[in-house]
Amino acid sequence: MRCPFCGSENTSVKDSRSAEDDTAVRRRRVCESCGARFTTFERVQLREVTVVKRDGKRVPFDRERLARSITIALRKRPVDREQIDQMVSGILRKLESAGEPEVASNDVGELAMEALRMVDPVGYVRFASVYKDFRDPSDFAQFIEKAALEDEEDLGEI
């Protein structure tokens, strides 16, 4: 592993432990050249997932970009980083296990909204406001009303 500070390839692992609900390994490393310490994560990757944007452009799935979007939606909410990492890992597992090498960006957004809906209703609405491009307050009201109706239907099925 190359040191992010000095670029040396002479690093060693000082500590390893499972992370993200046992779907990743967190490793604390130290650079033998400069003495800097840093953390790496090791995850299983079933297959490469390519995201097809609305404009048709194809980009590799970026786990950090999705985590950043979810983190912004959950800013100042009682959700810790571990829960966000678990959400992102769950979304990625669903995409990888679907078996399709390409996935529409809409599908990623819908999976993120589904995960947020289960974790934090305010984060769910915040994410939806950007994802669905709300233009005025009535868009929020319509979305919240629709979500409340869906919640009632879900409770009725239990």
Side-chain angles (χ1 to χ4, degrees), residues 42-112:
E42 185 178 311
R43 295 179 182 87
V44 172
Q45 183 173 346
L46 297 176
R47 63 176 44 103
E48 287 287 325
V49 176
T50 300
V51 177
V52 181
K53 301 287 195 171
R54 289 179 182 149
D55 65 1
K57 192 164 79 171
R58 288 165 166 69
V59 296
F61 178 83
D62 185 352
R63 147 182 213 98
E64 291 306 314
R65 181 171 183 203
L66 179 59
R68 220 174 15 256
S69 298
I70 291 173
T71 300
I72 290 168
L74 293 171
R75 188 173 288 148
K76 296 187 179 183
R77 298 296 301 155
V79 178
D80 62 18
R81 182 64 195 195
E82 183 74 19
Q83 285 178 287
I84 294 169
D85 289 339
Q86 288 174 2
M87 274 192 279
V88 173
S89 292
I91 291 167
L92 184 54
R93 271 195 307 274
K94 286 180 183 176
L95 294 173
E96 289 175 336
S97 63
E100 296 296 322
E102 295 185 339
V103 62
S105 60
N106 287 351
D107 295 341
V108 177
E110 291 298 327
L111 288 171

